[in-house]
Amino acid sequence: MSSSPPVKLIGHFASPFVHRAAAALRLKGVPYEFIQEDLENKSELMLANNPIHKKVPVLLHGDRAVCESLVIVEYVDEAFDGPPLLPADPYDRAMARFWAHFMDTKCRTPLVLSFLTEGEQQEGFLKETKENLALLEAQLDGKRFFGGDSVGYLDIALSGMSRWMAVFEEMTGVSLLADDDFAALRRWAKEYTSNEAVMQCLPGIEQIKGHFSATAKKDKVKAVATAMQQQQ
Amino acid sequence: MDHHLEQQAAESEKKAVKLLGMWASPYVLQVRWALAMKGVEYEYVEEDLRSKSAQLLAYNPVHKKVPVLVYHGRPIAESQVILEFIDDAWNHRGDPILPRDPYRRAMARFWARFKQDKLSPPIWRWFTTEGEEQEAAYEAAVEQLLVLEKELAVSGKPFFGGEKVGFVDLSLSPLAYVIPIYEEIVTGGGGGGVKMVTEEKMPSLAAWMGRFLSSPAVRGHLPPLEKLRPRCQAMREAFLVSARAKVEQQQQQ
């Protein structure tokens, strides 16, 4: 497994999806060049390498292009030497993939909408989100990370909760993780964001806030929704 | 292994592996074919999704859906997760479901997601609407199918998995048998009408459909076309009736 062809990551510093890919590279110890993409003015490089979705992140490894954040994380785990990101046991691997899929398909939309809506609509999304968060809280089950003693695939997949959630909470005044019910998730967020490898590719709260404020043209709903559409 | 030991092994495996499913679900079928590819014996439990069993709700409390694979009493849900699990748990047996090479694995996962994200929605919209909305959905679906056509044509291989059926073929499997049913229903069953996958426009895909259904794992458990047809017909009618009722309501206001 040669890692000598150069590795580049096309992405955006404020994107939680791009962070997933970067975290995988950092944790695996793979050197890479980060290419910042202007999502409102997409580059030829990105469009050529992700013609179908036209989104970030895109990983370039020599002449190979890999798209979709979780596909990139598994690729990095399998193509390079370094500490394994997925567990060895087939059942544990299935559980890691299941909960990552849960975040992306069931959890994310109501979570984001909890911050972007108001009144009765918001109540509904908040209730649903708290139920979803409770399931994830239970998955931690006394462990330091979802992966056990060290950061793994599921921690990376859920990393949006460790930093971006706090950003949205500060920007909107909506409080989710502060709930009594989520002590383990709060502890996990601190552990994850203090990890040496992760810190090298994790944007700060103010940095992310600045980005979302800068892109907000009409209203915050449209801005965040549009930003999220550019990422996978 | 002598015959007696083989039999014993098969019986104990059957106790260890259980699949909760529903006859019409393409996701359940994919799992059955994957298990067949690995030669895994299992107990199959048919679920009535209108009246979900305590077992199903206990094994898949998060989504309450089938398929659920139960391995030594531990449940796994979500068809893509299950397919990867089958490949991992029985990787010493049968043919690989995912390729071994990391880049080809990444591509396989990418195409499986493509089907869910880009292909299924317009096909479903085409099947459940009429008029302009249906026409637009048709164009969108064909556009995505042509992407797949190109992928297969360029590879020059019989299957998306290469020489044999693989993860992507399983993920795309509804295209092989559901689209022809949809085409029949949408065009009213008569000859002619608008087809979605034609030999002229998509020769590789058209050939793949028949080849997939004749492959060893699949032909051992063919999709139940005769039962599926009336079910799909009823679904389309229900959607059209509901949509027309909404339009009428709006017009009366």
Side-chain angles (χ1 to χ4, degrees), chain B residues 70-183:
Chain B
V70 186
Y71 184 67
H72 291 284
R74 303 165 92 191
I76 301 147
E78 293 298 320
S79 59
Q80 302 276 284
V81 176
I82 296 172
L83 292 183
E84 292 226 35
F85 172 78
I86 291 170
D87 205 28
D88 282 345
W90 287 281
N91 71 2
H92 52 282
R93 222 156 86 169
D95 293 322
I97 293 175
L98 275 143
R100 301 277 190 226
D101 169 74
Y103 181 60
R104 291 189 58 216
R105 288 166 78 83
M107 288 297 100
R109 290 171 178 136
F110 175 86
W111 288 112
R113 284 160 182 257
F114 172 85
K115 185 255 174 197
Q116 283 299 109
D117 297 340
K118 292 291 225 179
L119 199 46
S120 294
I123 292 177
W124 180 246
R125 254 190 340 266
W126 167 67
F127 184 64
T128 55
T129 60
E130 53 189 347
E132 261 176 48
E133 201 181 341
Q134 186 186 43
E135 277 167 34
Y138 177 85
E139 295 301 331
V142 166
E143 196 187 321
Q144 302 307 333
L145 283 167
L146 286 171
V147 172
L148 276 183
E149 167 69 23
K150 185 174 168 198
E151 186 64 23
L152 193 56
V154 161
S155 81
K157 300 282 183 187
F159 298 102
F160 289 90
E163 298 301 327
K164 292 183 177 175
V165 165
F167 187 72
V168 178
D169 304 275
L170 291 176
S171 303
L172 294 174
S173 59
L175 299 185
Y177 62 96
V178 177
I179 286 191
I181 293 178
Y182 284 3
E183 283 169 345

Side-chain angles (χ1 to χ4, degrees), chain B residues 17-35:
Chain B
V17 186
K18 190 185 328 198
L19 176 63
L20 307 186
M22 190 262 177
W23 65 268
S25 163
Y27 302 105
V28 171
L29 266 177
Q30 287 171 23
V31 172
R32 299 195 82 161
W33 290 327
L35 289 165

Side-chain angles (χ1 to χ4, degrees), chain A:
Chain A
M1 280 194 290
S2 168
S3 60
S4 51
V7 178
K8 300 180 188 182
L9 181 64
I10 307 174
H12 191 284
F13 77 87
S15 160
F17 297 93
V18 171
H19 170 73
R20 283 170 162 180
L25 288 164
R26 294 277 179 185
L27 286 158
K28 210 75 180 171
V30 178
Y32 65 97
E33 181 197 339
F34 184 75
I35 301 175
Q36 173 76 357
E37 183 76 13
D38 178 356
L39 296 177
E40 315 217 345
N41 193 8
K42 293 172 186 175
S43 68
E44 269 310 304
L45 184 68
M46 195 266 258
L47 295 173
N49 285 294
N50 192 0
I52 288 175
H53 300 292
K54 307 178 175 49
K55 293 180 182 180
V56 290
V58 179
L59 183 82
L60 302 176
H61 182 199
D63 57 2
R64 303 166 167 181
V66 184
C67 308
E68 307 222 26
S69 57
L70 291 181
V71 177
I72 293 172
V73 174
E74 289 220 48
Y75 174 75
V76 169
D77 197 28
E78 292 169 350
F80 299 96
D81 292 326
L85 299 175
L86 269 153
D89 176 73
Y91 187 78
D92 295 337
R93 291 159 76 83
M95 288 303 100
R97 289 178 178 132
F98 174 86
W99 289 108
H101 185 267
F102 169 78
M103 167 50 74
D104 281 2
T105 58
K106 201 159 189 253
C107 196
R108 172 165 298 109
T109 301
L111 171 57
V112 172
L113 290 174
S114 297
F115 294 112
L116 301 182
T117 54
E118 277 155 19
E120 237 181 79
Q121 254 202 325
Q122 189 182 43
E123 301 272 326
F125 290 126
L126 275 169
K127 180 169 181 284
E128 195 182 341
T129 297
K130 287 185 180 176
E131 283 163 10
N132 291 335
L133 289 179
L135 292 173
L136 292 172
E137 171 89 4
Q139 283 309 299
L140 268 171
D141 193 28
K143 294 177 294 183
R144 201 172 154 213
F145 296 106
F146 288 96
D149 294 323
S150 49
V151 176
Y153 173 86
L154 185 54
D155 302 277
I156 296 170
L158 299 176
S159 57
M161 286 197 306
S162 75
R163 174 55 44 97
W164 282 263
M165 190 119 95
V167 172
F168 287 131
E169 284 175 328
E170 282 188 32
M171 284 175 79
T172 61
V174 173
S175 166
L176 265 174
L177 269 192
D179 246 36
D180 285 336
D181 297 328
F182 306 130
L185 283 175
R186 281 199 301 279
R187 222 171 19 243
W188 167 81
K190 276 210 191 87
E191 292 269 17
Y192 181 80
T193 55
S194 318
N195 175 280
E196 218 182 286
V198 164
M199 276 169 72
Q200 291 170 47
C201 57
L202 189 66
I205 291 183
E206 293 308 315
Q207 259 191 308
I208 303 171
K209 258 202 233 174
H211 166 68
F212 282 130
S213 306
T215 58
K217 282 168 191 150
K218 285 166 194 169
D219 59 280
K220 61 187 176 187
V221 179
K222 193 159 184 255
V224 176
T226 309
M228 299 209 74
Q229 292 286 78
Q230 302 311 321
Q231 306 155 40
Q232 203 160 9

